Amino acid sequence: MAREFARVGVIGLGTMGAGIVEVFARAGIEVVAVEVDETAAAHGREHIEHSTSRAVSRGKLAEDDRAALLDRVRVTTSLADLADVDLVVEAVPERLELKAEVFAALDKVCGPDTIFASNTSSLSITELSVRTERPSRVVGMHFFNPAPVQALVELVRTVVTEPAVVEDVRGLAERLGKSPVVCGDRAGFIANQLLFTYLNQAVGMFESNYAGREDLDAAMKFGCGYPMGPLALMDLIGLDTAYEILEEMYRQSRNQRHAPAPILKQMITAGLLGRKAGRGFYTYAEPGSSEVVADGLTPPPPGSDDATLRPINRVGVVGTGTMATGIAEVFAKAGYDVVVRGRSESKGDGAVAAVRKSLEKAVVKGKLSEEARDETLGKISTTVDFSGLAECDLVVEAIAEDLDVKQAAFSALDEVCKPGTILATTTSSLPVVECAASTSRPADVIGMHFFNPAAVMKLVEVVSPITTAPEVTATVRDVCARIKKNPVLCGDRAGFIVNALLFPYLNDSVSMLEAHYATVDDIDSAMKNGCGLPMGPFALLDVVGLDVSLAIERSLYQEFRVPGFAPAPLLEHLVTAGRLGRKTGHGFRDYS
């Protein structure tokens, strides 16, 4: 039988503490809120009153319910008023000694059955618990900001926490309407450990000039469906806050990937803390504003830079698979004449039929007129010979992800295409420069990595190896804008932007599971409910395919030789066992 919590205490009434008080009071629980002095106590009370008043104005809380909620909250400056509470949550500033002092003082006030909980986002719960006389009754209860809105609560157990205590607090979190996840005591817990490792890697990409801030952010928004790009999110969190979390993660793990990117320290020293300072990775209209304004790093729109653009009127597509037909559809819809090269007439006819089927669906859904459908189809022709692509201004190769096969195709294109034709590969993992090396025109070769399905996904990674001419990059960027895609520029290395950021995060999740740190469901819930991601890592791995994921992770490890990039043994074992995800009915989960 789960314990009934009738009265709880909250220490600290900053933004987070006041939000936690509101959460408890909304659930009908009496709250004793403690602050350091009368001024801070009054400010905390005002915060709760303002938040609940706003909820009433938005129709999310009735006025009578608000009045009852406020009646359940008692604000005080004396820890002695917590003598008879069932649970105390501390939400004081993120300093270990300060939190330890609070818990030591509570030991002298509270009864032996009172549970102590810390809202820390990164400090060791074990280190806090041993400063008390009740380490077995100390847990982490990490709410996410804003606490009344965010569903996730991370419950952190130590090696001595009583299982019954964890279950009691889990039951309480569910009573609050939250989605609790249980994990062990490791810096960053689940969400921050996975999130900040990814953010730190993105900062490193920016610092090394591998990709610009807008390109990094657009890649993860449009390629993965993330609500915010990594650098915009860093600005929202605050660079100083992010630095402290990474520092604590590195202190506990000694994992080099947790060591804050050096540019963070430089920016913090210069006062570039993010939105709250008006400048971070981006520049904002004023401190605290979310409005981004142009600055010296803002790139020009596609087609508006000084580079000479090559005229693109006729586009060739090599391949007849799903990606190739999607690319052909995209270009034809944009008004380009498209020639699809297939290995046989039947393959070419099949590609046109696939485009027709896709367009028909759009007509049925009212997204495309019959006239536009017919006009688009009229733009597409087929050929079985590479010579049929001779007059194309741009040729996009979209065949098997095999370097030998792609190099053979580029050699054939090199022989038949007119001078100045841009040759692009849609590879997602192979070196673009290897394709360029198989031609006599490496300056004209570039990567155009479309995402599947090409007709729907808005992102194209434009990959320029060191051999690519600047006007080729500028032309392809302009073409992407014309076909209503979002081009992001990056260098020619394994994973480009999206896969290089996404798959280490997925691999970290597998390692976390392998260490029995948290369950599949809890890790997925943490990333969906805590970070707003469209899917949890294990749900995504099962969709992508564990074999595909393993191949990408192997290529990343081979390129960068970073220990944390080495595929988790558990992933290797699942692939060996044939558990490849949804396509086989079994992966990290079983499917009917």
Side-chain angles (χ1 to χ4, degrees):
M1 186 90 176
R3 179 175 177 180
E4 190 68 32
F5 292 87
R7 201 159 185 247
V8 302
V10 177
I11 302 178
L13 287 177
T15 301
M16 183 58 74
I20 294 171
V21 169
E22 182 180 335
V23 168
F24 282 124
R26 276 177 178 261
I29 299 172
E30 291 185 25
V31 187
V32 179
V34 182
E35 254 297 358
V36 65
D37 55 39
E38 293 293 347
T39 301
H43 181 75
R45 181 81 185 190
E46 288 172 6
H47 190 110
I48 298 166
E49 290 174 349
H50 176 71
S51 175
T52 52
S53 175
R54 188 169 53 191
V56 170
S57 67
R58 293 178 177 178
K60 296 182 178 180
L61 186 68
E63 184 60 54
D64 289 347
D65 291 337
R66 175 178 182 262
L69 183 159
L70 294 175
D71 283 345
R72 286 191 285 271
V73 178
R74 176 188 174 195
V75 180
T76 177
T77 59
S78 173
L79 286 179
D81 292 329
L82 299 174
D84 60 350
V85 300
D86 302 306
L87 167 79
V88 180
V89 180
E90 69 75 16
V92 301
E94 197 78 341
R95 298 198 304 273
L96 181 65
E97 287 304 321
L98 176 59
K99 292 178 184 289
E101 288 174 9
V102 167
F103 277 173
L106 287 173
D107 252 335
K108 300 174 182 177
V109 171
C110 297
D113 292 333
T114 302
I115 296 171
F116 292 174
S118 172
N119 184 58
T120 180
S121 61
S122 60
L123 298 176
S124 169
I125 302 299
T126 303
E127 290 188 42
L128 289 173
S129 72
V130 297
R131 308 290 188 94
T132 76
E133 296 176 1
R134 63 187 80 198
S136 64
R137 305 190 67 76
V138 177
V139 296
M141 197 173 186
H142 178 214
F143 290 80
F144 283 67
N145 194 30
V149 176
Q150 292 278 27
L152 181 68
V153 175
E154 290 179 318
L155 303 181
V156 187
R157 66 182 188 278
T158 72
V159 292
V160 297
T161 305
E162 294 176 9
V165 168
V166 175
E167 288 308 309
D168 286 343
V169 177
R170 184 204 285 269
L172 172 62
E174 290 172 347
R175 176 183 167 188
L176 300 176
K178 300 300 183 183
S179 298
V181 299
V182 177
C183 61
D185 185 19
R186 182 190 296 178
F189 310 137
I190 299 176
N192 280 353
Q193 185 175 155
L194 293 175
L195 175 66
F196 280 89
T197 309
Y198 147 74
L199 294 177
N200 199 39
Q201 185 184 348
V203 173
M205 281 186 173
F206 173 79
E207 184 174 26
S208 65
N209 295 314
Y210 175 69
R213 63 189 183 187
E214 286 86 356
D215 288 337
L216 284 163
D217 282 353
M220 300 312 289
K221 285 180 64 179
F222 296 110
C224 295
Y226 285 10
M228 294 183 75
L231 301 187
L233 181 54
M234 287 287 279
D235 275 356
L236 176 62
I237 294 169
L239 273 61
D240 50 346
T241 300
Y243 186 89
E244 289 174 5
I245 291 173
L246 285 165
E247 275 279 88
E248 181 61 25
M249 286 170 59
Y250 180 70
R251 184 186 73 83
Q252 293 189 35
S253 71
R254 289 296 182 258
N255 183 337
Q256 188 60 35
R257 294 171 61 217
H258 297 159
I263 195 174
L264 288 176
K265 186 68 171 179
Q266 299 167 29
M267 294 176 73
I268 292 168
T269 302
L272 309 181
L273 306 182
R275 282 193 192 181
K276 60 188 175 186
R279 284 187 65 192
F281 287 102
Y282 293 91
T283 300
Y284 299 87
E286 60 184 8
S289 171
S290 62
E291 180 187 351
V292 175
V293 297
D295 58 20
L297 295 180
T298 303
S304 64
D305 50 24
D306 295 333
T308 301
L309 301 181
R310 297 185 186 181
I312 305 294
N313 299 302
R314 192 174 181 83
V315 177
V317 177
V318 180
T320 55
T322 302
M323 183 60 75
T325 56
I327 292 170
E329 178 183 338
V330 166
F331 277 104
K333 274 183 177 177
Y336 291 94
D337 292 323
V338 179
V339 182
V340 176
R341 186 268 173 183
R343 288 176 293 174
S344 65
E345 287 188 9
S346 62
K347 290 284 188 182
D349 292 342
V352 174
V355 175
R356 180 181 291 108
K357 183 178 180 180
S358 175
L359 296 175
E360 287 289 356
K361 288 182 179 179
V363 171
V364 170
K365 293 178 179 178
K367 296 181 178 180
L368 189 72
S369 68
E370 293 184 358
E371 293 78 9
R373 174 201 61 197
D374 296 339
E375 184 179 350
T376 298
L377 287 170
K379 291 283 185 181
I380 303 174
S381 60
T382 63
T383 181
V384 295
D385 298 317
F386 279 103
S387 59
L389 306 173
E391 296 305 312
C392 291
D393 306 302
L394 166 67
V395 179
V396 182
E397 165 274 308
I399 56 180
E401 195 75 346
D402 182 296
L403 185 58
D404 291 338
V405 174
K406 289 183 183 292
Q407 286 182 318
F410 273 86
S411 295
L413 290 170
D414 189 34
E415 292 180 6
V416 301
C417 291
K418 65 184 181 181
T421 298
I422 295 174
L423 307 180
T425 174
T426 61
T427 181
S428 62
S429 59
L430 299 174
V432 177
V433 72
E434 295 280 4
C435 295
S438 63
T439 75
S440 62
R441 55 175 96 186
D444 295 337
V445 178
I446 196 168
M448 285 184 76
H449 179 213
F450 288 79
F451 284 69
N452 194 30
V456 177
M457 297 293 285
K458 296 296 185 182
L459 183 69
V460 176
E461 290 179 317
V462 179
V463 186
S464 300
I466 58 174
T467 52
T468 304
E471 69 269 17
V472 169
T473 302
T475 300
V476 169
R477 185 168 180 255
D478 179 64
V479 166
C480 287
R482 293 179 185 275
I483 61 176
K484 295 182 171 55
K485 300 297 182 184
N486 288 277
V488 298
L489 307 182
C490 63
D492 182 23
R493 69 187 198 191
F496 308 140
I497 297 176
V498 173
N499 284 354
L501 288 174
L502 175 64
F503 281 89
Y505 148 72
L506 295 176
N507 196 47
D508 288 343
S509 303
V510 179
S511 296
M512 187 177 280
L513 173 68
E514 191 171 40
H516 303 288
Y517 178 70
T519 67
V520 165
D521 289 340
D522 280 352
I523 295 171
D524 272 1
S525 177
M527 300 315 291
K528 283 187 64 179
N529 295 316
C531 301
L533 304 189
M535 298 180 78
F538 297 107
L540 181 56
L541 280 162
D542 278 352
V543 168
V544 171
L546 274 59
D547 52 341
V548 174
S549 302
L550 178 59
I552 293 172
E553 289 173 9
R554 283 174 173 167
S555 70
L556 290 171
Y557 181 59
Q558 183 67 25
E559 175 110 338
F560 297 106
R561 307 300 173 92
V562 175
F565 284 10
L570 177 59
L571 182 62
E572 303 253 16
H573 296 164
L574 289 170
V575 171
T576 300
R579 296 181 65 97
L580 307 183
R582 288 192 180 181
K583 59 189 174 186
T584 61
H586 305 280
F588 285 99
R589 292 184 174 90
D590 294 326
Y591 302 88
S592 56

